[in-house]
Amino acid sequence: MPAETVSVTGWGRTAPSTARLIRPRTYEEAVTAVRDCGARGGIPRGLGRAYGDAAQNAGGAVLDMTGLDRIHVVDAAGGSVLCDAGVSLHHLMEVLLPLGWFVPVTPGTRYVTVGGAIGADIHGKNHHVSGSFSRHVVCLELLTADGTVRTVRPGTALFDATAGGMGLTGVILTATVRLLPVETSLMSVDTERATDLDDLMARLTATDHRYRYSVAWIDLLARGAATGRAVLTRGDHAPLSALPARARRTPLSFRPARLPAAPACLPEGLLTRRTVGLFNELWYRRAPRARTGELQRLSAFFHPLDGVPHWNRVYGRGGFVQYQFVVGHGREETLRRIVDRIARRRCPSFLAVLKRFGEADPGWLSFPVPGWTLALDVPAGLPGLGGLLDGLDEEVAAAGGRVYLAKDSRLRPDLLAAMYPRLDDFRALRAELDPRGVFVSDLARRLTL
């Protein structure tokens, strides 16, 4: 099986490391790749949308699993799909939407694989209703360090370690996933403006239960009385009866719009406080004060950035850091302090979103817990960024919250146990399952996972 030595990085394009990239095309080749990882071990990788170093392995092997991309069985009557772990959510949508089915959970990009969705236990705008992706997995096949392929089901320790386990329990080969029935490929969307953070949280708390999907874009450069002002967008899959007559002819069509890719080389310093502040002001002002029932394409509602290939280049060669944390209900004051600290530091973030999480999922390293989650992107070269985020980490940990490992690139290992109480269980199972350390990543070394 051919392998090449390449520089590998996450979607944030920070901290690249060099590894042998292996591309198995069959299950047998995957077994061989695991057995031949070498002294520095290996880590499975999907489409590279983890923001940090979770799918990197300096000096070792990285197993590109996108070659295992077959959809084996679609149960169009019962609503489930059996597919390889290398199948993307984009491809699933292409196949399933014409049949009246949709993926149960999707993050802000559809260019993630099913294996990556389970390994990161991704969440979307519907966590308060549907939980994370792994909650909808019926079973999976996992290639473990000894070369054995195991069938793993929910309710077992191995499943709970694998869901959110960042690929460190083994290589997911296949998964069976329950689906969501839909009548159309359009969304019925309500949009409203919130004047500040308290107004936003009050609206979310009072009415989120009415919507399947909910997210708020938040202006983290606004200060004073406008601190935390936001545009709140919520909706559900539009029923057939909501479509105009012409659209009812092809109610399940899926044709995402696509713009030209971002240039490979963009000037540094493009995203400054001034430029981002102007963007945020325009974005907030152009949003309607209140609008209901707008019909939007799935791609526009769920994945607007997917329309711009390689949008991560806009941050320049230095890349960017995406920081996402969650704090529980009753810890709103922590969220207020953090938003205020970011606003006072004038962090130029135009991709900042606030959501509410529902019931926690069983994965030992799964990120969501009931409460409030804020995600923001900032240029990696921003002066003082490391110290600011270290301070936020400490505040989040003290409040019983946690940061999202699939987006992390710089968390200190001493805070990890406070954020993830099942960490010792995860480490113990890994030691038993993989005593030689076959599965390892830059993230795992950095955080001693």
Side-chain angles (χ1 to χ4, degrees), residues 218-259:
I218 183 169
D219 182 0
L220 291 178
L221 283 174
R223 293 181 291 179
T227 299
R229 68 179 181 178
V231 178
L232 180 55
T233 307
R234 296 182 286 188
D236 205 338
H237 298 274
L240 187 62
S241 59
L243 271 59
R246 184 174 181 179
R248 293 184 196 182
R249 300 173 190 170
T250 55
L252 292 165
S253 62
F254 181 59
R255 294 187 297 272
R258 195 170 179 86
L259 298 173

Side-chain angles (χ1 to χ4, degrees), residues 355-378:
K355 292 180 289 194
R356 291 176 74 240
F357 280 157
E359 182 181 350
D361 298 284
W364 292 345
L365 298 186
S366 184
F367 169 64
V369 294
W372 304 92
T373 180
L374 176 67
L376 60 143
D377 291 354
V378 286

Side-chain angles (χ1 to χ4, degrees), residues 75-96:
D75 181 355
S80 67
V81 61
L82 167 61
C83 64
D84 286 345
V87 172
S88 70
L89 298 192
H90 174 82
H91 186 42
L92 283 182
M93 293 176 195
E94 288 180 316
V95 172
L96 297 172

